[in-house]
Structure formats: C-alpha cells, structure tokens
Amino acid sequence: MQSKEMTCRTRAIRSLAELESVRHLWEAWQSHPNSDIDHFITVCRLRPAEVLRPHVIVVENRSGDPTAFVAAREERINVAPRLGYLRAPAIKAIVLNIIQGGVLGQLDSDSANSVLQHVRSSLRMGECDIALFSEMLETDLLLNCAFETIPWWWRDGSPAWTLHWQRALPSEKGFLLEGMRAKHRSWIRKKISALEENYPKGVVYRKCCGPDQVPIACMDMERIAKATYQRGLGAGFHDNAEHRERYALFARRGLFRCWVLYLNEAPKAFWVGAVYRNTFYSEATGYDPQLRQFELGTQMFLHMADDLVSEGVRQIDFGLGDALYKTRFGDHSFREGSFHLYGPRFAPLAVRCARGFMQSVDMGTRRLLATFGAINSVKTFWRRRIAGRQKEATN
C-alpha cells in the first residue's frame, strides 16, 4: 500500500516467525516493556483463544528500508462499552489492537497517513471489525491524523482521554517524606509507627527480582489481590500462566521488580513492575482493604521509591488508569487518548453507536460530579463497595 506522494509504503508482518527478520531494528527502537519484542511475542503465544495473529505494520521508505513499526495484534474479543464501572452488553468482534507504546521508529505525517490507510483497508476488507489505538500521546501523529482526515462516523467522536503520571527520582533516599508538608509528614510517620506497634517485629518488606522468586511472589500477591476492588472489576494482578511467564521473562533479563509487605509473615500489600531503560514501569499494586487505616499503599510506595533510588533508577512511570495515589505522588503528567476506527458493517457500527452514547453520558456525569467536587468521593464509594463484595466472594 502506497501513499499518494509515493514517499513510503506499508506492509504487514502476520506471523511470529517473520518477526525475527526485523528483530535487530525492533530491539534498537523499543523503549517500553509493553512493546518489547520478546514480551510482544510472549503475549501472542500465551493468548491462543484471543490472539489470532500478530499484525505488525512495517513502514518502508522508497528504498525499501524500514523507518517505523506499528505493533498490533488481531484479537477475537468481546467488546463492551463502559459507563464508569458499568459495562454494556458485549458484542464479539475481531479487533486490530495497536498496543500501548506500539509505535517504534519515526513517523512523519505522510507515513502516519499511510498507516491509517493500511488500517482502514483491513477494516474495509473484513480482516477486522474494529481498530483500537491504545493510549496514544495527545501529540501523536497517528491520533491527530485520524481525527483530521477520517470522517466522524468511522471513528470515535473524541479520544478517551486519561492523565498519565510519572515521578522523577533524585539521587537521595527519603526524598518523599522530606518533600512533604510538616503536617502530612507527621501524619505518615504516625501511620508507620502505628503499624509497627500493632505488628511488633513483624513488619517485613521483601523484594523479588530473580526468576526463582517469581512463583512465590505470584502466590503471595494473589492472596492480596483476590480481596481488592481491582479484582472485582476483573483488573489488576491475577496469578495465572500469563503473568508468571511474563514476569519470568523480565526476571531472566534482570528487569523484574516486586515488593511484598508481610505482617507477621502474612502478605498484606504488594507493588510489581519492571525497570526498563532506567525507568520503573508500575504494573499492579494492591493491599488488604481491612488494613486501610494504616495507609499500606503509601507505606509500600515510600519503601519502594527509596529502593529504586538506591538502584539508580531515575523515574517511576505509574502506568495506565486513574488513581488518587498517582496524582499525590506524581510530579508531572501528560494526556493520552485511546480511540477506535470502525469497519463498514453492522456489528462494528452498532459498537460505535453504543460507545458514543455511553461516552456522552459518562462525560456529562463527570462534569456534573466535578461541579460539586464529588468525583473522588464517588470513585472511593464504588471501589470500596466492589472490594467489600470481592471480600465476601473469597470468604
């Protein structure tokens, strides 16, 4: 497929074996654990019921040399528009999932439009029903070209915007406490003292990095995660073959990091992620909701941040999703947006209509709650209610 100016062309890699032909360039361009080539291959292999095949779009110049890759998977999944924590009835569809961090190399406006033409051709030919562009930067050329050039009825009305938070790390430990206001610092120290008083000699943080530590870490994280609100939403950590193999992959390369807080030898809080190119990418966290009064999440974060500073890590990336702790501990943020393109058939257009309706209601509700300053209160209410139901289900 060629652009009008004939300055670039696109082709697709649709097998794991063919990916090896571009490994050298992919590894040179990869900068995020989600789009690491070995991680991408592992996810494709571990989801046989969902992932039909890889669909990596290769952008080539006039000489036939690759200038960029767009990493995507063809997936057969149930698409369910959401309203907050509520989901509409699902529709089964084949989705071309352009993964978070999936643009490797350099795109200009011409090559971005060529990629979009490639995706729309796949939609028209029925190779997929919907294309999902996941968590793209607000300034990303693909996002902006899509909303400038594609008619509104073939795409979402607007991206689903989220704030993505990060935190720069200094070279000295203890920076978080020292940077707090005196009143807040005193309050946190009281929480630390209260935990130690309630569990004398029983407050232990254990860090897991090696492949042999992954199975035990996963078992202990599962004991915590099954009682959290994230589990009630079907999100967060699950002790399954996919998580274990992904973590083992990163552990073999010295990238895996997991901290578990034990109180009297019982796991009560965890934080897990990967250190990749001097940034810690947070993946999942959780704590026993019955111990909410001790602010275990905050205590875990303070310990983890100091540990990362000792390693020489320069930044924490808080990852996908919105949470109060991210705005509390992050020191800079940027906007990301996910959006869909739809094929010219009944099922994808039905999804487009449902998503448009749900998105309008969601935005109106958020504006109303923001007027009364009630967004965080409503989120906390629903999360605690879901966590309570999840706790009952596990008893």
Side-chain angles (χ1 to χ4, degrees):
M1 182 182 304
Q2 297 182 345
S3 65
K4 293 179 181 180
E5 295 80 7
M6 303 287 289
T7 60
C8 66
R9 63 183 181 182
T10 62
R11 62 182 177 90
I13 293 177
R14 292 185 171 92
S15 74
L16 295 180
E18 193 181 353
L19 279 178
E20 296 300 326
S21 67
V22 296
R23 175 180 283 274
H24 64 294
L25 274 178
W26 189 308
E27 290 181 335
W29 292 341
Q30 64 193 19
S31 60
H32 192 287
N34 192 55
S35 54
D36 178 279
I37 187 169
D38 290 315
H39 180 266
F40 180 81
I41 291 171
T42 297
V43 170
C44 289
R45 182 171 52 80
L46 289 173
R47 299 180 185 175
E50 176 181 319
V51 178
L52 301 176
R53 58 183 178 176
H55 189 129
V56 176
I57 303 169
V58 182
V59 181
E60 298 175 335
N61 60 21
R62 289 176 176 173
S63 302
D65 299 319
T67 60
F69 305 132
V70 179
R73 301 184 295 262
E74 294 177 21
E75 301 175 347
R76 181 183 286 111
I77 59 176
N78 292 320
V79 180
R82 296 182 59 173
L83 175 58
Y85 294 129
L86 305 177
R87 289 180 181 270
I91 297 175
K92 189 173 290 294
I94 296 176
V95 176
L96 181 63
N97 181 6
I98 294 89
I99 66 172
Q100 181 204 16
V103 178
L104 300 96
Q106 296 294 324
L107 291 178
D108 57 20
S109 58
D110 180 59
S111 53
N113 277 304
S114 291
V115 169
L116 291 172
Q117 290 173 25
H118 178 108
V119 171
R120 296 194 71 195
S121 177
S122 293
L123 292 169
R124 284 193 298 270
M125 291 188 297
E127 293 180 336
C128 50
D129 301 307
I130 300 168
L132 167 61
F133 293 75
S134 300
E135 306 297 333
M136 312 210 79
L137 287 173
E138 186 174 13
T139 56
D140 193 284
L141 278 172
L142 276 178
L143 184 152
N144 286 284
C145 286
F147 281 84
E148 288 173 2
T149 63
I150 297 176
W152 64 268
W153 54 88
W154 300 124
R155 57 169 171 80
D156 289 333
S158 63
W161 295 112
T162 59
L163 276 182
H164 190 127
W165 284 92
Q166 295 178 330
R167 172 82 197 209
L169 296 179
S171 56
E172 298 294 330
K173 297 167 61 175
F175 70 99
L176 282 170
L177 275 177
E178 293 304 317
M180 294 177 182
R181 295 192 300 269
K183 184 177 180 180
H184 191 198
R185 182 166 58 246
S186 175
W187 181 76
I188 293 295
R189 284 175 171 161
K190 286 179 181 178
K191 296 294 181 181
I192 295 172
S193 297
L195 188 65
E196 293 171 347
E197 290 170 4
N198 279 268
Y199 298 90
K201 299 182 180 179
V203 180
V204 178
Y205 292 91
R206 292 177 187 161
K207 182 179 178 181
C208 307
C209 300
D212 58 325
Q213 297 174 305
V214 169
I216 295 175
C218 286
M219 286 190 294
D220 287 343
M221 287 192 289
E222 176 65 20
R223 292 173 62 183
I224 302 162
K226 66 183 181 181
T228 63
Y229 80 88
Q230 291 98 329
R231 177 62 58 86
L233 294 172
F237 173 80
H238 287 72
D239 184 12
N240 55 27
E242 179 175 323
H243 276 101
R244 289 193 177 209
E245 190 154 344
R246 289 176 52 248
Y247 293 163
L249 166 70
F250 287 130
R252 288 191 295 270
R253 292 163 56 183
L255 307 177
F256 176 69
R257 298 292 185 275
C258 175
W259 294 262
V260 180
L261 170 62
Y262 297 85
L263 302 179
N264 292 345
E265 292 301 315
K268 295 298 181 181
F270 72 89
W271 212 303
V272 64
V275 172
Y276 201 89
R277 303 210 171 178
N278 223 23
T279 293
F280 173 71
Y281 288 90
S282 174
E283 179 173 317
T285 185
Y287 64 88
D288 187 334
Q290 292 186 325
L291 299 174
R292 187 178 294 110
Q293 72 272 22
F294 295 113
E295 291 284 335
L296 293 189
T298 298
Q299 295 199 46
M300 173 63 76
F301 183 76
L302 294 174
H303 178 88
M304 179 189 74
D306 281 347
D307 224 354
L308 291 170
V309 167
S310 297
E311 284 190 43
V313 176
R314 306 308 300 164
Q315 182 173 250
I316 295 174
D317 186 297
F318 289 102
L320 304 178
D322 183 27
L324 184 59
Y325 75 86
K326 298 179 182 182
T327 59
R328 178 186 299 171
F329 294 120
D331 63 1
H332 62 283
S333 65
F334 48 88
R335 275 213 315 179
E336 291 177 329
S338 296
F339 66 95
H340 300 76
L341 303 182
Y342 301 92
R345 288 170 300 285
F346 175 77
L349 291 179
V351 174
R352 191 250 181 272
C353 293
R355 280 188 55 81
F357 173 75
M358 299 286 271
Q359 191 174 34
S360 297
V361 174
D362 184 66
M363 291 175 62
T365 302
R366 288 176 183 271
R367 283 196 294 266
L368 180 62
L369 292 174
T371 301
F372 295 99
I375 289 181
N376 288 330
S377 299
V378 171
K379 284 182 178 179
T380 300
F381 168 78
W382 278 108
R383 288 172 178 175
R384 289 183 178 178
R385 181 169 180 173
I386 293 168
R389 289 178 177 175
Q390 190 62 29
K391 186 69 174 178
E392 292 175 3
T394 58
N395 288 338

